[in-house]
Amino acid sequence: MRRADGAGWRRGAVLGVLVLLAAVTLPTAAWAGSAAPGEPACEVRDARLTELSGMVAIDDGFVVINDGAENEARRRIFFLDRSCAVVRAVPYPTRPLDTEDLAVGADGTVWVADIGDNDRSRETIAMWKLAPGADRPVLHRMSYPDGPHDAEAMLVTADGRPLVVSKFTGNLYAPTGALRPGATVPLAKVGQVRLPASTTSNPYGLLGRSAITGAATAPDGRRVVLRTYADAFEFDVAGGDVVAALTGGTPRATPLPNEPQGESISYAADGRSLLTVSETADQPPGTRPTILRYPLAGPAPSGSPTATPEPTGATPADSSAAGEDGGSRVVLVAALAAGALGVLFIAVALLARARRRPRSEG
């Protein structure tokens, strides 16, 4: 999420849009899992890296990006070693607008998703592709079929096609043709993902459990994960069909409790754990981004995946269950909806105060 008018606007915008989401797409059941904090892997000490919105693990370290940083020195694709030290920083040839997620293709190409749009005003979104060994990424533009969307999550399918996941509706969009530099390729809506509700503690409360803020693909391509500010939801992928997995699969849930502003997620290079990192720009002075490691909610699949298994660990509640527990879930859902509606007017007021940012190449 990009800062538009200081820290107050940043958090106000998050609250406002999450309110709108909760009021429209609130799931019908909630689960409560064991929310243990992640294990620190390494601490990012470079002062340029405080708004980390995208990360991917590679064999010798990590690749990370800031979201739409105002400081020119922060507008880079940063390569880190395993201790989180910067070893390479690749600039963009023109200014990106709001870079939000990262992926690495099977051929080693780094994909940067320039897809953020807080005020939903962009005519196009973009992908920057950095080929292995290249010193500049190449810009590719795309356009939605149904008007602007804010998005912070992107996956790259086995056939090299980006899949954009909208932040507030879970809509899935894919290009209708091959991406070409200098051209704008139309997107098509190819599905919608609906995540289970949860009770995981996070800085945005009940509203921080709905917005989709990051995505990643396992190194073997047989699993994908979507994250919110509160949780990670992992889907098994059969036959390389990511859309079918997201629209028809049952996810396994991993709580990501109390991350300051969690927008990044990646599988570890060996595929055996999940890695996250948060933005720290609004945290107390001296707070540094820390890459956290979480164990997978279930075992990595062996052999060719078949049917999507029932979730393990933190499990969506059975809405048909009888007794006091089932009644409590109904009350919880009603409370969530009432809370969302109760702050809707505040959200509208906050959004109205936003300043329009200068346009850029993204």
Side-chain angles (χ1 to χ4, degrees), residues 25 169-172 189-194 246-247:
T25 62
T169 63
N171 289 346
L172 308 175
K189 181 181 175 182
V190 295
Q192 184 179 32
V193 60
R194 293 185 180 275
L246 294 176
T247 56

Side-chain angles (χ1 to χ4, degrees), residues 272-296:
R272 296 184 180 275
S273 58
L274 295 173
L275 302 172
T276 69
V277 69
S278 284
E279 296 194 23
T280 58
D282 296 335
Q283 299 304 302
T287 304
R288 295 188 175 96
T290 300
I291 294 179
L292 301 175
R293 186 184 307 275
Y294 293 87
L296 295 174

Side-chain angles (χ1 to χ4, degrees), residues 45-347:
R45 295 179 173 269
D46 194 298
R48 295 171 293 179
L49 298 174
T50 61
E51 297 183 77
L52 295 178
S53 61
M55 172 183 65
V56 65
I58 54 178
D59 288 341
D60 55 357
F62 313 92
V63 187
V64 297
I65 53 168
N66 291 298
D67 72 4
E70 293 302 308
N71 187 322
E72 191 276 336
R74 301 184 181 196
R75 297 195 294 267
R76 302 283 191 276
I77 303 170
F78 292 91
F79 290 77
L80 314 182
D81 63 18
R82 292 177 181 174
S83 67
C84 284
V86 175
V87 294
R88 183 185 178 205
V90 178
Y92 300 91
T94 55
R95 180 174 175 170
L97 183 57
D98 196 355
T99 52
E100 291 287 358
D101 209 359
L102 275 175
V104 174
D107 62 351
T109 296
V110 175
W111 294 68
V112 180
D114 190 351
I115 56 179
D117 189 10
N118 284 342
D119 59 5
R120 287 172 291 231
S121 63
R122 296 179 64 169
E123 295 181 0
T124 64
I125 59 172
M127 293 288 165
W128 299 85
K129 294 174 65 175
L130 179 67
D135 58 4
R136 290 290 188 275
V138 177
L139 179 67
H140 301 77
R141 296 183 187 275
M142 300 172 294
S143 61
Y144 289 110
D146 51 0
H149 295 270
D150 194 13
E152 296 187 358
M154 178 265 299
L155 296 162
V156 175
T157 61
D159 58 357
R161 182 174 66 157
L163 186 67
V164 176
V165 187
S166 65
K167 184 174 182 178
F168 306 119
T169 63
N171 289 346
L172 308 175
Y173 296 93
T176 56
L179 301 184
R180 303 184 305 278
T184 297
V185 176
L187 294 165
K189 181 181 175 182
V190 295
Q192 184 179 32
V193 60
R194 293 185 180 275
L195 301 178
S198 84
T199 58
T200 304
S201 177
N202 70 96
Y204 302 109
L206 64 91
L207 301 175
R209 300 170 189 132
S210 300
I212 299 170
T213 62
T217 302
D220 61 10
R222 293 184 292 174
R223 291 160 289 146
V224 295
V225 64
L226 302 180
R227 73 159 297 163
T228 66
Y229 289 111
D231 304 282
F233 297 94
E234 187 185 34
F235 298 78
D236 290 327
V237 178
D241 195 337
V242 175
V243 172
L246 294 176
T247 56
T250 301
R252 294 179 293 273
T254 299
L256 311 174
N258 299 318
E259 295 191 355
Q261 186 170 325
E263 298 188 4
S264 302
I265 192 162
S266 173
Y267 283 89
D270 62 7
R272 296 184 180 275
S273 58
L274 295 173
L275 302 172
T276 69
V277 69
S278 284
E279 296 194 23
T280 58
D282 296 335
Q283 299 304 302
T287 304
R288 295 188 175 96
T290 300
I291 294 179
L292 301 175
R293 186 184 307 275
Y294 293 87
L296 295 174
S302 59
S304 299
T306 54
T308 302
E310 290 299 314
T312 59
T315 308
D318 181 358
S319 60
S320 65
E324 181 179 351
D325 188 50
S328 298
R329 287 192 291 270
V330 173
V331 172
L332 172 62
V333 172
L336 295 179
L341 292 174
V343 294
L344 178 58
F345 293 107
I346 297 174

